[in-house]
Amino acid sequence: MVYYSDKGSITKAITNNQYFIMTKKIIMALGLLCLSSVVSFAQNKRTVLSATIDGYKRDMVYFDCVQSPFIRQEFHANPGEEHVYAFDTDRLVAMIVNGRTTVLLMPGDSLHVDIQYQGKQVNELKFSGSKQAVADNELYAAVAAYRRSIRYKLQLLACAVVDVKPADRINDSKKLLDQTRQLVAQSKGKVAADVVNYVSAESEGLAYISFVEYPPMYEETRKLPIAQQGVGDYWKLMDGTKLRGDMASLSCPDYCSFLLLNMAYTKSKQAHEKGETYQRPDKIEDMFEQLAAFYDGACRDAVLYSIITNYIQGGKDIERIEPLIKQFKEKYCVDKRHAEIIDAIMQ
Protein backbone atom coordinates (compact mmCIF):
# COMPACT_ATOMS: atom_id res chain seq x y z
CA MET A 1 0.00 0.00 0.00
CA VAL A 2 1.24 3.46 -0.84
CA TYR A 3 1.05 6.38 1.53
CA TYR A 4 -0.99 9.08 -0.19
CA SER A 5 -0.26 12.76 0.36
CA ASP A 6 -2.90 15.22 -0.75
CA LYS A 7 -0.29 17.98 -0.91
CA GLY A 8 1.74 16.47 -3.71
CA SER A 9 1.71 14.04 -6.57
CA ILE A 10 1.78 10.30 -6.17
CA THR A 11 5.41 10.48 -7.31
CA LYS A 12 6.33 12.53 -4.27
CA ALA A 13 4.40 10.15 -2.07
CA ILE A 14 6.30 7.21 -3.50
CA THR A 15 9.70 8.84 -3.21
CA ASN A 16 9.51 10.08 0.36
CA ASN A 17 11.59 8.26 2.93
CA GLN A 18 8.55 6.61 4.50
CA TYR A 19 7.62 4.76 1.30
CA PHE A 20 8.39 1.16 2.09
CA ILE A 21 7.88 1.64 5.81
CA MET A 22 4.32 2.51 4.93
CA THR A 23 3.95 -0.25 2.37
CA LYS A 24 5.04 -2.86 4.87
CA LYS A 25 3.50 -1.48 8.05
CA ILE A 26 0.48 0.63 7.23
CA ILE A 27 -1.90 -1.86 8.79
CA MET A 28 0.37 -2.08 11.83
CA ALA A 29 -0.13 1.65 12.28
CA LEU A 30 -3.87 1.19 12.02
CA GLY A 31 -3.59 -1.38 14.78
CA LEU A 32 -2.40 1.41 17.09
CA LEU A 33 -5.90 2.81 16.93
CA CYS A 34 -6.64 0.24 19.66
CA LEU A 35 -9.62 -1.32 17.99
CA SER A 36 -11.24 -3.67 20.42
CA SER A 37 -13.95 -5.29 18.33
CA VAL A 38 -13.31 -8.40 16.26
CA VAL A 39 -14.82 -8.87 12.82
CA SER A 40 -16.08 -12.38 12.15
CA PHE A 41 -15.77 -13.93 8.73
CA ALA A 42 -17.15 -17.01 7.04
CA GLN A 43 -15.19 -20.24 7.20
CA ASN A 44 -12.81 -19.01 9.88
CA LYS A 45 -10.32 -21.53 11.17
CA ARG A 46 -8.36 -21.43 14.39
CA THR A 47 -4.78 -20.53 13.51
CA VAL A 48 -1.82 -20.48 15.89
CA LEU A 49 1.47 -18.59 15.76
CA SER A 50 4.08 -19.11 18.45
CA ALA A 51 7.58 -17.73 18.78
CA THR A 52 10.64 -18.13 20.95
CA ILE A 53 12.96 -15.16 20.74
CA ASP A 54 16.59 -15.09 21.90
CA GLY A 55 18.93 -12.11 22.04
CA TYR A 56 16.08 -9.60 21.84
CA LYS A 57 16.79 -6.47 23.90
CA ARG A 58 13.42 -4.75 24.08
CA ASP A 59 10.67 -5.06 26.67
CA MET A 60 7.77 -6.14 24.47
CA VAL A 61 7.25 -8.64 21.65
CA TYR A 62 4.71 -7.68 18.97
CA PHE A 63 2.72 -9.77 16.50
CA ASP A 64 1.04 -7.59 13.85
CA CYS A 65 -1.02 -8.67 10.85
CA VAL A 66 -0.39 -6.89 7.56
CA GLN A 67 -3.92 -7.48 6.26
CA SER A 68 -6.04 -6.74 9.32
CA PRO A 69 -5.72 -4.48 12.37
CA PHE A 70 -7.95 -6.91 14.26
CA ILE A 71 -5.27 -9.61 14.36
CA ARG A 72 -2.48 -8.45 16.66
CA GLN A 73 -0.99 -9.31 20.01
CA GLU A 74 1.79 -8.20 22.30
CA PHE A 75 3.72 -9.93 25.05
CA HIS A 76 6.29 -9.07 27.70
CA ALA A 77 9.68 -10.18 26.37
CA ASN A 78 10.63 -12.65 29.08
CA PRO A 79 13.85 -14.49 28.07
CA GLY A 80 13.23 -18.05 26.91
CA GLU A 81 9.45 -17.77 27.06
CA GLU A 82 7.29 -19.09 24.23
CA HIS A 83 4.81 -16.49 23.00
CA VAL A 84 1.61 -18.08 21.68
CA TYR A 85 -1.18 -16.33 19.83
CA ALA A 86 -4.30 -18.11 18.54
CA PHE A 87 -6.71 -16.31 16.23
CA ASP A 88 -9.34 -17.02 13.59
CA THR A 89 -8.89 -16.31 9.89
CA ASP A 90 -10.52 -17.40 6.65
CA ARG A 91 -7.59 -16.51 4.39
CA LEU A 92 -3.84 -16.15 4.15
CA VAL A 93 -2.33 -13.60 6.52
CA ALA A 94 1.17 -12.19 6.83
CA MET A 95 2.24 -11.70 10.45
CA ILE A 96 5.14 -9.42 11.33
CA VAL A 97 7.06 -10.23 14.52
CA ASN A 98 8.66 -7.18 16.13
CA GLY A 99 8.30 -5.15 12.94
CA ARG A 100 11.03 -7.14 11.23
CA THR A 101 10.30 -10.84 10.69
CA THR A 102 7.38 -11.80 8.43
CA VAL A 103 5.73 -15.22 8.47
CA LEU A 104 2.79 -16.46 6.41
CA LEU A 105 -0.14 -18.40 7.83
CA MET A 106 -2.98 -20.19 6.11
CA PRO A 107 -6.29 -20.85 7.96
CA GLY A 108 -5.81 -23.70 10.42
CA ASP A 109 -2.01 -23.51 10.42
CA SER A 110 0.05 -24.09 13.52
CA LEU A 111 3.49 -22.50 13.16
CA HIS A 112 6.33 -22.04 15.62
CA VAL A 113 9.29 -19.82 14.79
CA ASP A 114 12.56 -19.61 16.72
CA ILE A 115 14.10 -16.18 16.17
CA GLN A 116 17.72 -15.51 17.08
CA TYR A 117 18.83 -11.90 17.29
CA GLN A 118 22.37 -10.59 17.04
CA GLY A 119 22.18 -7.03 18.17
CA LYS A 120 19.21 -5.47 16.40
CA GLN A 121 19.38 -7.87 13.45
CA VAL A 122 17.72 -11.25 13.08
CA ASN A 123 20.55 -13.74 12.76
CA GLU A 124 18.64 -17.01 12.38
CA LEU A 125 15.12 -18.34 11.83
CA LYS A 126 13.91 -21.88 12.43
CA PHE A 127 10.39 -23.11 11.69
CA SER A 128 8.43 -25.99 13.13
CA GLY A 129 4.77 -26.98 13.27
CA SER A 130 2.38 -28.26 10.62
CA LYS A 131 4.24 -29.58 7.58
CA GLN A 132 2.77 -27.22 5.01
CA ALA A 133 3.15 -24.16 7.25
CA VAL A 134 6.87 -24.95 7.59
CA ALA A 135 7.25 -25.40 3.82
CA ASP A 136 5.35 -22.17 3.16
CA ASN A 137 7.63 -20.16 5.40
CA GLU A 138 10.81 -21.81 4.25
CA LEU A 139 9.92 -20.63 0.73
CA TYR A 140 9.17 -17.11 1.93
CA ALA A 141 12.39 -17.00 3.97
CA ALA A 142 14.43 -18.32 1.03
CA VAL A 143 13.24 -15.47 -1.21
CA ALA A 144 14.01 -12.94 1.54
CA ALA A 145 17.48 -14.47 1.99
CA TYR A 146 18.14 -14.11 -1.73
CA ARG A 147 17.18 -10.44 -1.60
CA ARG A 148 19.69 -9.93 1.19
CA SER A 149 22.38 -11.83 -0.68
CA ILE A 150 22.21 -9.40 -3.60
CA ARG A 151 21.80 -6.40 -1.26
CA TYR A 152 18.39 -5.63 -2.71
CA LYS A 153 17.19 -2.53 -0.90
CA LEU A 154 13.49 -2.28 -0.12
CA GLN A 155 13.41 1.51 -0.29
CA LEU A 156 13.91 3.09 -3.68
CA LEU A 157 14.96 6.38 -2.13
CA ALA A 158 17.75 4.53 -0.32
CA CYS A 159 18.92 3.28 -3.72
CA ALA A 160 19.07 6.83 -5.02
CA VAL A 161 20.87 8.09 -1.92
CA VAL A 162 23.71 5.57 -2.26
CA ASP A 163 23.66 5.98 -6.06
CA VAL A 164 22.53 2.54 -7.16
CA LYS A 165 22.49 2.84 -10.94
CA PRO A 166 19.08 2.29 -12.56
CA ALA A 167 20.45 -0.38 -14.88
CA ASP A 168 21.82 -2.28 -11.86
CA ARG A 169 18.55 -1.96 -9.97
CA ILE A 170 16.57 -3.24 -12.93
CA ASN A 171 18.98 -6.12 -13.50
CA ASP A 172 18.79 -7.07 -9.82
CA SER A 173 15.01 -6.90 -10.03
CA LYS A 174 15.04 -9.30 -12.97
CA LYS A 175 17.31 -11.62 -10.99
CA LEU A 176 14.87 -11.48 -8.08
CA LEU A 177 11.99 -12.45 -10.35
CA ASP A 178 13.97 -15.33 -11.86
CA GLN A 179 15.12 -16.64 -8.48
CA THR A 180 11.62 -16.40 -7.04
CA ARG A 181 10.26 -18.44 -9.95
CA GLN A 182 12.98 -21.05 -9.43
CA LEU A 183 12.32 -21.33 -5.69
CA VAL A 184 8.58 -21.60 -6.32
CA ALA A 185 9.18 -24.35 -8.88
CA GLN A 186 11.37 -26.25 -6.42
CA SER A 187 8.63 -26.10 -3.79
CA LYS A 188 5.88 -27.30 -6.13
CA GLY A 189 3.44 -29.60 -4.36
CA LYS A 190 4.69 -28.60 -0.91
CA VAL A 191 3.46 -25.04 -0.63
CA ALA A 192 -0.10 -23.69 -0.52
CA ALA A 193 -1.30 -22.08 -3.76
CA ASP A 194 -2.13 -18.83 -1.95
CA VAL A 195 1.40 -18.71 -0.53
CA VAL A 196 2.86 -19.18 -4.01
CA ASN A 197 0.72 -16.28 -5.21
CA TYR A 198 1.65 -14.04 -2.27
CA VAL A 199 5.39 -14.75 -2.51
CA SER A 200 5.36 -14.25 -6.28
CA ALA A 201 3.29 -11.06 -5.99
CA GLU A 202 5.66 -9.57 -3.44
CA SER A 203 8.70 -10.09 -5.67
CA GLU A 204 6.80 -8.83 -8.70
CA GLY A 205 5.62 -5.78 -6.77
CA LEU A 206 9.16 -4.88 -5.72
CA ALA A 207 10.56 -5.50 -9.20
CA TYR A 208 7.83 -3.75 -11.17
CA ILE A 209 7.90 -0.71 -8.88
CA SER A 210 11.61 -0.51 -9.64
CA PHE A 211 10.93 -0.73 -13.38
CA VAL A 212 8.35 2.04 -13.49
CA GLU A 213 9.49 4.34 -10.70
CA TYR A 214 13.25 4.17 -10.26
CA PRO A 215 14.39 5.59 -13.62
CA PRO A 216 12.29 8.78 -13.24
CA MET A 217 13.22 8.98 -9.55
CA TYR A 218 16.90 8.74 -10.44
CA GLU A 219 16.44 11.36 -13.13
CA GLU A 220 14.88 13.70 -10.59
CA THR A 221 17.39 13.12 -7.78
CA ARG A 222 20.59 12.59 -9.78
CA LYS A 223 19.72 14.80 -12.79
CA LEU A 224 20.57 12.05 -15.29
CA PRO A 225 18.00 11.69 -18.10
CA ILE A 226 16.39 8.28 -18.43
CA ALA A 227 17.76 7.97 -21.97
CA GLN A 228 21.29 8.08 -20.52
CA GLN A 229 20.75 5.59 -17.72
CA GLY A 230 21.40 2.42 -19.70
CA VAL A 231 17.99 0.89 -19.01
CA GLY A 232 16.96 0.60 -22.63
CA ASP A 233 13.53 1.78 -23.72
CA TYR A 234 11.81 2.82 -20.50
CA TRP A 235 8.41 2.42 -22.11
CA LYS A 236 9.06 -1.25 -22.89
CA LEU A 237 10.19 -2.35 -19.42
CA MET A 238 6.72 -3.59 -18.54
CA ASP A 239 5.97 -5.27 -21.88
CA GLY A 240 4.45 -8.72 -21.43
CA THR A 241 3.48 -8.16 -17.80
CA LYS A 242 0.20 -9.72 -16.73
CA LEU A 243 -1.66 -8.30 -13.76
CA ARG A 244 -2.66 -10.54 -10.87
CA GLY A 245 -6.25 -10.64 -9.64
CA ASP A 246 -6.32 -13.36 -6.98
CA MET A 247 -7.08 -12.49 -3.37
CA ALA A 248 -3.70 -13.54 -1.97
CA SER A 249 -1.75 -11.40 -4.44
CA LEU A 250 -4.01 -8.41 -3.92
CA SER A 251 -3.49 -8.65 -0.16
CA CYS A 252 0.25 -8.10 -0.65
CA PRO A 253 1.15 -4.44 0.08
CA ASP A 254 4.04 -4.31 -2.38
CA TYR A 255 1.88 -5.62 -5.20
CA CYS A 256 -0.91 -3.18 -4.40
CA SER A 257 1.66 -0.37 -4.43
CA PHE A 258 2.68 -1.46 -7.89
CA LEU A 259 -0.93 -1.41 -9.08
CA LEU A 260 -1.24 2.22 -8.01
CA LEU A 261 1.89 3.12 -9.93
CA ASN A 262 0.92 0.98 -12.89
CA MET A 263 -2.00 3.24 -13.68
CA ALA A 264 0.24 6.31 -13.79
CA TYR A 265 2.88 4.49 -15.84
CA THR A 266 0.33 3.22 -18.35
CA LYS A 267 -1.34 6.60 -18.72
CA SER A 268 2.06 8.27 -19.04
CA LYS A 269 3.03 5.79 -21.77
CA GLN A 270 -0.21 6.44 -23.66
CA ALA A 271 0.34 10.20 -23.41
CA HIS A 272 3.98 9.82 -24.52
CA GLU A 273 2.89 7.96 -27.66
CA LYS A 274 0.67 10.94 -28.51
CA GLY A 275 3.40 13.49 -27.77
CA GLU A 276 1.56 14.61 -24.66
CA THR A 277 2.28 14.62 -20.92
CA TYR A 278 0.18 12.89 -18.29
CA GLN A 279 -0.33 14.86 -15.08
CA ARG A 280 -0.61 12.58 -12.08
CA PRO A 281 -3.50 13.47 -9.75
CA ASP A 282 -2.61 15.30 -6.55
CA LYS A 283 -5.99 15.10 -4.83
CA ILE A 284 -7.54 12.05 -3.23
CA GLU A 285 -10.81 12.60 -5.10
CA ASP A 286 -9.08 12.68 -8.49
CA MET A 287 -6.96 9.66 -7.65
CA PHE A 288 -10.05 7.71 -6.60
CA GLU A 289 -11.91 8.63 -9.80
CA GLN A 290 -9.04 7.66 -12.09
CA LEU A 291 -8.33 4.37 -10.33
CA ALA A 292 -12.03 3.46 -10.38
CA ALA A 293 -12.13 4.01 -14.14
CA PHE A 294 -8.79 2.31 -14.86
CA TYR A 295 -9.29 -1.00 -13.00
CA ASP A 296 -12.24 -3.29 -12.47
CA GLY A 297 -13.30 -6.11 -10.18
CA ALA A 298 -11.00 -7.27 -7.40
CA CYS A 299 -8.08 -5.09 -8.56
CA ARG A 300 -10.23 -1.97 -8.36
CA ASP A 301 -11.47 -3.00 -4.93
CA ALA A 302 -7.89 -3.50 -3.69
CA VAL A 303 -6.46 -0.19 -4.92
CA LEU A 304 -9.42 1.90 -3.76
CA TYR A 305 -9.37 0.21 -0.37
CA SER A 306 -5.66 0.97 -0.21
CA ILE A 307 -5.92 4.70 -0.84
CA ILE A 308 -8.93 5.03 1.48
CA THR A 309 -7.24 3.32 4.43
CA ASN A 310 -3.99 5.20 3.84
CA TYR A 311 -5.83 8.50 3.76
CA ILE A 312 -7.68 7.68 6.98
CA GLN A 313 -4.39 6.77 8.61
CA GLY A 314 -3.10 10.23 7.70
CA GLY A 315 -5.69 11.65 10.10
CA LYS A 316 -6.41 14.94 8.32
CA ASP A 317 -9.61 16.25 6.72
CA ILE A 318 -11.31 12.91 7.32
CA GLU A 319 -14.65 14.32 6.23
CA ARG A 320 -13.31 14.44 2.65
CA ILE A 321 -13.03 10.69 2.51
CA GLU A 322 -16.58 9.96 3.64
CA PRO A 323 -18.23 10.44 0.18
CA LEU A 324 -15.55 8.22 -1.36
CA ILE A 325 -16.18 5.53 1.25
CA LYS A 326 -19.88 5.61 0.44
CA GLN A 327 -19.16 5.32 -3.28
CA PHE A 328 -16.65 2.53 -2.69
CA LYS A 329 -19.07 0.47 -0.61
CA GLU A 330 -22.00 0.97 -3.00
CA LYS A 331 -20.19 0.44 -6.31
CA TYR A 332 -16.77 -1.12 -6.05
CA CYS A 333 -16.30 -3.22 -2.92
CA VAL A 334 -15.84 -6.89 -3.82
CA ASP A 335 -14.27 -8.11 -0.58
CA LYS A 336 -16.79 -7.54 2.22
CA ARG A 337 -14.01 -7.49 4.79
CA HIS A 338 -12.66 -4.26 3.29
CA ALA A 339 -15.90 -2.45 4.02
CA GLU A 340 -16.03 -3.87 7.56
CA ILE A 341 -12.48 -2.74 8.33
CA ILE A 342 -13.12 0.74 6.94
CA ASP A 343 -16.27 1.05 9.07
CA ALA A 344 -14.35 0.02 12.17
CA ILE A 345 -11.42 2.37 11.71
CA MET A 346 -13.78 5.27 11.01
CA GLN A 347 -15.52 4.82 14.36
Side-chain angles (χ1 to χ4, degrees):
M1 299 181 184
V2 179
Y3 180 75
Y4 176 80
S5 171
D6 201 48
K7 296 181 180 180
S9 69
I10 191 70
T11 302
K12 293 180 180 178
I14 293 297
T15 58
N16 72 49
N17 62 3
Q18 294 181 342
Y19 170 66
F20 271 100
I21 295 175
M22 296 305 295
T23 63
K24 290 288 188 182
K25 301 180 182 178
I26 181 68
I27 298 300
M28 293 171 60
L30 292 174
L32 297 178
L33 295 173
C34 300
L35 301 171
S36 59
S37 61
V38 177
V39 178
S40 60
F41 306 112
Q43 299 179 344
N44 278 345
K45 291 185 179 180
R46 200 66 168 169
T47 306
V48 180
L49 171 63
S50 62
T52 304
I53 302 174
D54 295 319
Y56 184 63
K57 303 300 183 182
R58 298 194 176 184
D59 294 333
M60 302 295 292
V61 171
Y62 299 95
F63 292 178
D64 293 283
C65 178
V66 173
Q67 289 76 28
S68 173
F70 305 109
I71 302 174
R72 63 189 305 271
Q73 189 58 274
E74 59 185 52
F75 311 87
H76 290 285
N78 299 320
E81 182 176 334
E82 181 181 28
H83 308 294
V84 182
Y85 177 42
F87 57 93
D88 294 330
T89 183
D90 68 339
R91 63 191 71 186
L92 168 72
V93 294
M95 298 293 293
I96 302 179
V97 181
N98 295 334
R100 186 178 296 273
T101 302
T102 301
V103 296
L104 304 180
L105 292 150
M106 291 293 294
D109 275 353
S110 178
L111 179 72
H112 179 81
V113 55
D114 288 312
I115 306 176
Q116 179 68 51
Y117 280 80
Q118 187 172 16
K120 295 181 180 180
Q121 302 298 319
V122 175
N123 185 48
E124 186 178 11
L125 290 177
K126 292 182 180 179
F127 302 107
S128 57
S130 53
K131 185 176 180 179
Q132 183 171 292
V134 172
D136 291 346
N137 284 280
E138 286 178 344
L139 170 62
Y140 188 80
V143 174
Y146 179 76
R147 288 200 307 265
R148 292 192 297 271
S149 74
I150 62 173
R151 300 180 181 276
Y152 192 87
K153 297 182 182 299
L154 298 183
Q155 296 184 36
L156 285 184
L157 186 58
C159 294
V161 168
V162 300
D163 199 16
V164 174
K165 305 303 181 187
D168 292 336
R169 176 66 178 191
I170 288 171
N171 286 336
D172 284 345
S173 296
K174 291 178 179 178
K175 291 178 183 177
L176 174 60
L177 292 175
D178 288 341
Q179 184 65 16
T180 301
R181 294 185 189 109
Q182 291 181 32
L183 290 168
V184 165
Q186 292 169 10
S187 65
K188 187 176 181 180
K190 301 177 183 178
V191 174
D194 280 352
V195 170
V196 167
N197 286 336
Y198 190 94
V199 170
S200 301
E202 185 170 86
S203 290
E204 289 176 13
L206 292 168
Y208 295 159
I209 287 170
S210 298
F211 291 173
V212 304
E213 200 67 10
Y214 194 53
M217 178 190 294
Y218 194 87
E219 180 178 57
E220 181 178 351
T221 57
R222 293 285 176 173
K223 310 306 178 185
L224 183 67
I226 293 176
Q228 299 175 28
Q229 293 176 8
V231 301
D233 188 341
Y234 171 69
W235 299 113
K236 292 184 177 180
L237 289 175
M238 292 298 295
D239 283 2
T241 300
K242 295 182 179 180
L243 299 184
R244 293 176 170 272
D246 63 277
M247 183 179 293
S249 295
L250 295 177
S251 74
C252 176
D254 292 306
Y255 195 76
C256 198
S257 297
F258 155 66
L259 290 177
L260 293 175
L261 288 169
N262 178 62
M263 180 191 74
Y265 174 82
T266 302
K267 286 181 173 291
S268 295
K269 181 178 180 179
Q270 293 168 346
H272 173 76
E273 291 170 349
K274 298 176 181 179
E276 301 171 353
T277 301
Y278 169 69
Q279 183 65 44
R280 296 186 179 190
D282 60 2
K283 294 182 179 180
I284 184 69
E285 294 86 356
D286 294 339
M287 174 65 77
F288 184 97
E289 181 180 0
Q290 288 195 24
L291 286 168
F294 186 81
Y295 289 111
D296 59 15
C299 283
R300 177 168 55 196
D301 176 7
V303 295
L304 295 180
Y305 170 75
S306 175
I307 65 168
I308 288 171
T309 52
N310 287 330
Y311 188 89
I312 295 170
Q313 194 275 334
K316 295 182 179 179
D317 300 324
I318 296 298
E319 65 278 0
R320 287 178 60 186
I321 203 69
E322 292 177 353
L324 301 185
I325 291 173
K326 183 176 184 295
Q327 188 176 352
F328 170 71
K329 290 163 65 176
E330 291 178 351
K331 292 185 177 181
Y332 306 127
C333 184
V334 175
D335 186 343
K336 185 179 179 182
R337 184 169 70 169
H338 287 166
E340 293 174 326
I341 290 177
I342 289 172
D343 286 344
I345 63 178
M346 283 293 287
Q347 291 178 358

